[in-house]
Amino acid sequence: MFDRETITNDRDPLRAQFQGMKGKLCASPELKAALITGTPLHTPAVGKRVHIRRFSKAIAVYAMCALLLLGTAIALPSLLKGMDPTSASSSTGDHDCIPPAVAMSSPSQLYERLLSEPNVVYREVGTIYFQDGSVKTSHVTEMTRRGDLFTTLNYGDGEPEHVRYYDVGGDKPCVYYNRNDLWFTSELRGDNATWAHWCKAYMAVNWLEDEHYEKTADGYKFTEEFIAEQIEEFKCEDAEGTLTFQDGVYTLRVVRHKEQFREEPCESVFEIQISFGNAPEIVLPEATICTHEYEVEVIPSDHPCRYGDETRYTCKICNDWYNEWSPTVPHNIVDGICTGCKLSEEEIGNLPDDDPDNEDHSDIIYGPYVEMSISRPSMQEFLEFYTVFQRKNTAPIVVTDLGDQKNSITQYHFYGGIINKNTFPDDYDYDYSSGEIRVPIQFWYSFYYNCDDAYFGTYDYGIVAENYTLDNDAVIDLDNIRLERVSTGMETFSAKHELSAKGKKEGEIRYYEIYSGENRLMKFAICAVASTEDSYYDSICQQVVDGLVKLG
Amino acid sequence: MKDPQDDRAQIVENYADMVWRIALSRTRREEAAEEVVQEVFLSLFQKERTFNEEEHLKAWLIRTTLICCKHYLTASFRNATISLDEVGDLPAMSEGQSTVYEALLSLPAKYRIPLQLYYIEEMDSDACAKAMGLRPGTFRVRLNRGRNLLRELLKGEGIDV
């Protein structure tokens, strides 16, 4: 029997380079002594600061979500309308939080108003009372939309933290961002500039972290290390980036010259110009200021805390809180424990085993893990795929495109293919005892191409099929499926969408479209795959893609 | 009666170095690494966690270390000007090893940690993936990319691997 890892190790010259290094990298005796005696060597980082930062981040996320909704709203007005702002008030459940003193305008309400009322400043003032009682933190964020200029101003602890101006009008969208009194401009150029590309320009403002730039005799510059990292980010199969510096301006040029699952050559080129400089000369028109105040006490709880129509969850182990607007942190809180802590607890067997029968799953063949991304040079043709399918043979394939969400800058993630009652998507806890099989699809609205760093909201759907069999010969009646918003216990609003099967049945592939009112939100296909052979799968995917394109 | 401090001492003896190395690799700051180490062991000892197997303890420590590092780096966002210079004096190593370690630290965290666990902690890839909460395939991809990056860096330093 060959041991692939052993063979690899023997042939791996890098291993020799690390030989013996372990013994030389050791914690200090003082630190070890401190650990044993329980005497702190330094004052450990306290939760207070973490929470403050987390809240600042949350505000930033809200602001970014606002932008995101700005984009999605263009294509998905009905989806926005579908967010029922009154649902919060009708929600029941244990409330472990102090209810808001003043009803807070929800993010969805706020953003809708931002879209419709261009010369109003929306100011949120939040006071957070943490459990220890000693920490009271107020934050303010202001969001405005004045013409094509979208502004957010965030304040942390009463001090201005950062200001951002997003100029979304004209041919050259700009993002201005200040940090430490240094202004940073990110400007998008390129004939093929799309909304999605603009978001990359936006993304660039996140480069302005302290550790990313330094002051030199010639002014501010990004560190070489950081530049190297950025270039590396684009060195993937279908894109490459170059970052040049001239006359104080960085130009990031990205060429995407390959589109997976498409035969015809298609090249997308765009540039983002980034510079350090002075504050932009922006004259803000007079605006009406609307202030929304809220306060909340964060308490570890088995139950979600609600204020406004936001649901907030706290983990009773780590005390961190999460909401539906911060999906990348371990927001799945089950039984009051977040995913991160749950994993830790499971390690030591403190939680019930998810697989009480302790069955041997070694026979489960994990299909290829595929992430497909397709982007076209123009917004009208913008198309992006992401599929993740990971289960045994006969796993349904779910492929979709952005369909009519052309104006959104969406990274699409989905998870598909549940076929065995003992297997379920790693990221969800579904109850399969109901006699239904669910193929969850998760929309990630994200500026990021790396899902590890995605920050933004999600919409979870489940394709539900009833009367299926729970064995490896799973049968799904493709004529009898429906689409549901997946409830992870975090939903604060709901939207009704109709599912319609369209087109002829092509082989085993069935095409569906999802409508919200009269607007098609997305289209997708489902089919059963009899083999996990790459070539077979690719062939099926190609057929699916062709079929989706035919659907228009 | 067995002194609880003896148990602690044993665990510290067995794992403090590992936790410190991972924290140093992730934060690239010796001071930060020490804080993280304390956070991790504080969490371990305060709740009197019990582990069925040594491997469980090890996996828990690694995962908790990475989580604490993330919290630390997030919390110290404003002040985090992390450069290699701030790592301070590296422990005494041969010149070649110092070069390799510095090259490792200069890699993005995404690739640094897999390499750290695989090469320095000498864990197998499945255990590394589990500790990092990644799928094995994902871990191997990162490991491989990290290797390639490291090779390139070392090549620049005249070390051909």
Side-chain angles (χ1 to χ4, degrees):
Chain A
M1 176 83 80
F2 292 106
D3 180 339
R4 194 173 65 178
E5 195 137 347
T6 307
I7 292 170
T8 309
N9 287 346
D10 290 346
R11 292 176 183 171
D12 186 353
L14 267 177
R15 189 159 292 275
Q17 298 294 330
F18 287 98
Q19 200 76 41
M21 198 179 284
K22 185 177 178 180
K24 292 173 184 171
L25 289 165
C26 298
S28 68
E30 294 80 11
L31 176 61
K32 289 180 181 176
L35 295 175
I36 296 168
T37 59
T39 313
L41 193 61
H42 304 293
T43 305
V46 291
K48 175 182 172 182
R49 197 175 174 198
V50 173
H51 286 303
I52 290 171
R53 171 60 200 149
R54 197 173 290 281
F55 186 74
S56 301
K57 191 173 180 179
I59 287 178
V61 168
Y62 285 176
M64 289 186 279
C65 284
L67 268 178
L68 209 55
L69 286 172
L70 185 69
T72 54
I74 297 169
L76 299 173
S78 56
L79 182 62
L80 281 173
K81 285 175 187 170
M83 297 175 180
D84 179 7
T86 61
S87 61
S89 58
S90 62
S91 175
T92 58
D94 293 339
H95 291 228
D96 287 335
C97 292
I98 295 174
V102 179
M104 171 197 174
S105 180
S106 71
S108 56
Q109 284 176 300
L110 189 62
Y111 303 144
E112 278 194 273
R113 292 181 67 179
L114 274 172
L115 293 172
S116 59
E117 300 175 55
N119 284 325
V120 178
V121 173
Y122 293 97
R123 178 177 290 170
E124 289 184 12
V125 181
T127 306
I128 305 290
Y129 300 91
F130 290 100
Q131 192 185 18
D132 60 14
S134 62
V135 181
K136 293 182 182 180
T137 309
S138 294
H139 291 269
V140 174
T141 183
E142 287 182 0
M143 289 175 277
T144 67
R145 173 149 188 222
R146 307 178 196 201
D148 289 326
L149 197 68
F150 191 97
T151 310
T152 68
L153 297 91
N154 286 2
Y155 298 85
D157 296 330
E159 295 297 321
E161 196 170 57
H162 61 253
V163 182
R164 295 178 181 185
Y165 298 112
Y166 311 91
D167 187 350
V168 298
D171 298 328
K172 295 174 183 174
C174 276
V175 181
Y176 306 99
Y177 177 50
N178 83 325
R179 183 170 177 79
N180 300 337
D181 297 325
L182 180 67
W183 281 87
F184 178 78
T185 304
S186 174
E187 183 177 325
L188 177 65
R189 292 169 187 271
D191 295 336
N192 292 324
T194 68
W195 179 264
H197 297 149
W198 178 81
C199 285
K200 291 205 170 191
Y202 166 78
M203 192 171 79
V205 304
N206 291 316
W207 290 5
L208 202 61
E209 307 288 355
D210 288 344
E211 68 267 30
H212 293 167
Y213 66 91
E214 59 198 0
K215 189 171 187 181
T216 68
D218 300 326
Y220 288 92
K221 283 185 179 178
F222 287 116
T223 64
E224 289 185 7
E225 180 194 16
F226 176 68
I227 288 173
E229 279 180 20
Q230 289 304 312
I231 296 300
E232 193 58 37
E233 284 293 307
F234 287 98
K235 280 185 184 172
C236 52
E237 286 181 0
D238 63 346
E240 64 183 300
T242 53
L243 187 60
T244 54
F245 180 68
Q246 190 173 7
D247 300 331
V249 177
Y250 287 89
T251 301
L252 172 67
R253 187 169 191 271
V254 179
V255 180
R256 298 177 70 88
H257 44 66
K258 180 188 170 190
E259 289 191 351
Q260 294 177 44
F261 300 101
R262 298 198 74 82
E263 294 294 332
E264 68 270 25
C266 192
E267 190 169 82
S268 171
V269 183
F270 67 95
E271 290 182 354
I272 300 170
Q273 295 212 328
I274 306 143
S275 58
F276 296 98
N278 299 320
E281 291 181 9
I282 292 175
V283 180
L284 295 174
E286 290 293 320
T288 307
I289 296 177
C290 297
T291 302
H292 304 276
E293 296 184 2
Y294 62 93
E295 57 184 35
V296 62
E297 183 174 357
V298 179
I299 303 171
S301 166
D302 284 345
H303 306 287
C305 304
R306 299 183 63 88
Y307 66 95
D309 75 352
E310 180 187 347
T311 304
R312 184 169 291 185
Y313 300 81
T314 54
C315 171
K316 60 187 177 185
I317 292 180
C318 67
N319 199 30
D320 278 344
W321 60 265
Y322 310 102
N323 62 16
E324 65 265 43
W325 295 94
S326 49
T328 52
V329 287
H331 64 293
N332 269 349
I333 296 191
V334 179
D335 296 331
I337 301 173
C338 73
T339 310
C341 291
K342 185 168 183 283
L343 285 170
S344 303
E345 293 292 298
E346 281 172 346
E347 290 284 358
I348 58 172
N350 284 354
L351 290 177
D353 192 348
D354 280 336
D355 180 18
D357 298 332
N358 199 24
E359 291 179 7
D360 178 14
H361 298 312
S362 57
D363 62 326
I364 295 173
I365 302 165
Y366 284 83
Y369 182 93
V370 176
E371 290 187 2
M372 296 182 285
S373 80
I374 299 177
S375 64
R376 291 184 177 185
S378 76
M379 190 188 298
Q380 290 303 311
E381 294 175 319
F382 183 69
L383 185 65
E384 188 164 346
F385 285 84
Y386 264 84
T387 65
V388 178
F389 60 103
Q390 53 197 2
R391 297 305 170 195
K392 202 170 179 176
N393 54 351
T394 73
I397 287 181
V398 180
V399 179
T400 188
D401 70 348
L402 290 180
D404 294 342
Q405 302 180 61
K406 286 165 185 159
N407 292 321
S408 67
I409 347 79
T410 306
Q411 184 186 39
Y412 234 160
H413 293 255
F414 18 108
Y415 299 84
I418 307 121
I419 211 63
N420 183 309
K421 67 178 177 181
N422 294 317
T423 63
F424 51 86
D426 299 337
D427 304 280
Y428 292 92
D429 294 307
Y430 285 120
D431 176 14
Y432 296 114
S433 61
S434 61
E436 293 176 339
I437 188 169
R438 285 167 184 260
V439 180
I441 305 177
Q442 186 177 53
F443 298 70
W444 283 57
Y445 291 91
S446 167
F447 291 119
Y448 290 77
Y449 279 83
N450 178 349
C451 61
D452 288 346
D453 298 326
Y455 277 110
F456 305 107
T458 63
Y459 295 105
D460 297 327
Y461 287 84
I463 297 168
V464 182
E466 296 178 47
N467 302 322
Y468 64 102
T469 56
L470 272 179
D471 55 30
N472 290 338
D473 299 320
V475 174
I476 298 173
D477 180 1
L478 293 179
D479 288 322
N480 187 27
I481 67 171
R482 67 179 191 274
L483 184 83
E484 281 187 354
R485 288 295 295 271
V486 172
S487 171
T488 56
M490 300 176 63
E491 294 291 297
T492 56
F493 50 79
S494 62
K496 287 182 181 176
H497 301 304
E498 292 178 7
L499 183 70
S500 68
K502 276 202 171 186
K504 286 184 179 179
K505 186 177 179 183
E506 296 180 19
E508 292 299 311
I509 305 168
R510 183 65 61 88
Y511 297 95
Y512 298 89
E513 292 172 293
I514 300 172
Y515 285 84
S516 178
E518 295 179 351
N519 297 303
R520 187 175 69 187
L521 298 183
M522 61 178 282
K523 53 194 176 186
F524 65 94
I526 298 179
C527 68
V529 185
S531 165
T532 53
E533 284 288 324
D534 283 354
S535 58
Y536 179 77
Y537 186 83
D538 288 348
S539 158
I540 289 287
C541 282
Q542 188 59 59
Q543 288 181 50
V544 170
V545 169
D546 291 344
L548 288 171
V549 170
K550 277 182 197 167
L551 278 177
Chain B
M1 191 175 169
K2 197 176 178 185
D3 185 348
Q5 275 211 357
D6 290 346
D7 288 340
R8 287 186 179 190
Q10 190 61 48
I11 293 172
V12 167
E13 186 58 37
N14 291 348
Y15 294 109
D17 291 339
M18 178 193 77
V19 171
W20 181 81
R21 280 192 297 268
I22 295 170
L24 179 65
S25 177
R26 181 68 185 87
T27 62
R28 302 196 289 197
R29 276 178 167 180
E30 199 164 348
E31 182 193 340
E34 290 189 345
E35 277 201 22
V36 168
V37 169
Q38 289 179 90
E39 290 279 340
V40 171
F41 281 93
L42 191 67
S43 171
L44 177 69
F45 295 144
Q46 267 187 345
K47 296 195 177 175
E48 296 180 351
R49 297 171 189 274
T50 54
F51 296 87
N52 297 330
E53 293 175 25
E54 201 74 2
E55 283 306 305
H56 281 170
L57 170 62
K58 186 175 178 181
W60 185 91
L61 284 169
I62 292 172
R63 191 160 184 80
T64 308
T65 303
L66 293 174
I67 291 170
C68 286
C69 286
K70 191 176 178 184
H71 284 178
Y72 179 91
L73 291 171
T74 309
S76 57
F77 173 76
R78 295 185 188 116
N79 303 317
T81 307
I82 303 170
S83 71
L84 286 179
D85 299 337
E86 290 186 71
V87 175
D89 294 332
L90 292 174
M93 287 189 280
S94 67
E95 191 177 332
Q97 278 189 332
S98 292
T99 307
V100 173
Y101 190 63
E102 283 179 16
L104 175 73
L105 289 185
S106 70
L107 293 177
K110 190 170 167 181
Y111 305 122
R112 195 162 70 234
I113 302 304
L115 289 169
Q116 163 89 23
L117 295 181
Y118 188 77
Y119 285 113
I120 298 183
E121 303 308 327
E122 298 169 350
M123 295 164 66
D124 67 49
S125 56
D126 284 348
C128 295
K130 191 177 176 188
M132 290 184 72
L134 299 173
R135 290 186 177 84
T138 308
F139 175 82
R140 289 190 188 108
V141 166
R142 291 189 186 180
L143 182 66
N144 195 40
R145 288 179 181 165
R147 271 187 192 128
N148 292 338
L149 284 174
L150 189 61
R151 282 198 190 103
E152 285 298 312
L153 284 174
L154 292 178
K155 205 172 175 180
E157 297 290 333
I159 302 174
D160 198 358
V161 286

